[in-house]
Amino acid sequence: MNKIFKYFIIILCAIGGLFLIGFIAVTLMIGYAFGSFDKSYSVSELKEEYYLREVEIADLIKYYNAIKPENYSVNIEFKSDKVLNRLMITTKDSTKIMYQNWNVGSNVLQSKKIRDLVGWEEREVRVLKSKLDKANCISVEDGEPLKIGFKRSGMGMFSFNIFQKAGTNRGEYNNGCQYILVNRSLALQYGGGAIGNQCFPNKN
């Protein structure tokens, strides 16, 4: 009887160990999927990153402004050379979404529907991705200010808002939470996504 009981305990411990390992593995996978292990940037680090790549960011903006469609605004984020994390095309006044998708192949930009809206050739998409890489950034969103996505952290995104017009009201870009106004040309932004904190995690 003692021998049977000992085997029973060993089996229970083995099953419990497997469940524990499985639980830890699933927890790590969920954490990784939601970016729990991604780097979070302070305001000081973002300023440093911007000034380090200021020339490349200016070149990216110049190129984007040269190829952006006349009648539509594009919000594009690259996951890789072949995959877009996000693509949204709206009317200039943002009242109507013409196209919106996530985690889609970059070749969607060559489909007839998107070509009719944006008109980008494959070469223009490659150059845009190359200029984003040189700027160490991942996305660009049309508007005033123009938003350059720097890096994701979980569901959140750290971005550089670049003002292109002298008359733009800078006041709303200095709320000390989602926006930090650095100077007349630049406001830093952190957005926590649909469920995350919308304020900068580290304002120092």
Side-chain angles (χ1 to χ4, degrees):
M1 191 69 177
N2 287 338
K3 193 173 182 180
I4 295 173
F5 181 73
K6 184 168 78 170
Y7 284 138
F8 180 71
I9 294 296
I10 291 172
I11 291 170
L12 278 181
C13 289
I15 293 172
L18 289 173
F19 271 113
L20 179 61
I21 292 170
F23 175 77
I24 293 172
V26 170
T27 302
L28 289 173
M29 284 167 49
I30 293 173
Y32 179 78
F34 283 90
S36 300
F37 307 108
D38 292 348
K39 177 175 172 55
S40 182
Y41 294 85
S42 67
V43 170
S44 297
E45 287 175 316
L46 277 184
K47 289 179 183 178
E48 183 179 341
E49 290 285 347
Y50 175 79
Y51 289 123
L52 183 66
R53 306 278 183 168
E54 189 172 9
V55 172
E56 290 82 1
I57 290 173
D59 185 51
L60 164 65
I61 292 171
K62 182 180 178 181
Y63 183 74
Y64 179 78
N65 283 333
I67 67 169
K68 70 180 183 180
E70 183 178 349
N71 299 318
Y72 301 101
S73 294
V74 180
N75 178 355
I76 183 169
E77 177 185 341
F78 286 87
K79 181 181 285 187
S80 68
D81 290 345
K82 302 293 185 182
V83 179
L84 304 178
N85 199 41
R86 179 180 73 252
L87 176 63
M88 183 165 69
I89 303 168
T90 66
T91 51
K92 280 292 183 182
D93 59 7
S94 299
T95 57
K96 185 177 181 181
I97 296 175
M98 308 302 294
Y99 178 87
Q100 183 172 232
N101 210 339
W102 291 266
N103 199 33
V104 62
S106 59
N107 58 358
V108 72
L109 289 160
Q110 303 308 310
S111 66
K112 185 179 185 307
K113 178 178 180 179
I114 306 302
R115 283 285 295 276
D116 288 346
L117 295 172
V118 179
W120 290 347
E121 302 289 343
E122 286 186 33
R123 179 185 176 279
E124 290 170 315
V125 177
R126 286 198 304 270
V127 173
L128 178 61
K129 176 61 166 64
S130 173
K131 289 185 181 294
L132 277 165
D133 289 344
K134 289 177 182 177
N136 196 26
C137 293
I138 59 175
S139 72
V140 57
E141 180 178 346
D142 195 11
E144 172 55 22
L146 189 73
K147 186 191 294 187
I148 306 296
F150 171 57
K151 290 287 182 289
R152 282 203 172 273
S153 181
M155 300 291 286
M157 171 84 87
F158 292 94
S159 303
F160 305 120
N161 286 278
I162 314 297
F163 297 96
Q164 301 177 89
K165 298 178 182 178
T168 302
N169 179 13
R170 270 73 167 167
E172 61 185 286
Y173 294 92
N174 195 30
N175 60 15
C177 177
Q178 184 179 9
Y179 297 103
I180 305 290
L181 187 65
V182 177
N183 53 43
R184 291 284 298 172
S185 300
L186 171 66
L188 307 176
Q189 180 180 350
Y190 174 73
I195 59 174
N197 184 1
Q198 298 305 316
C199 288
F200 266 92
N202 186 345
K203 298 177 186 176
N204 295 322

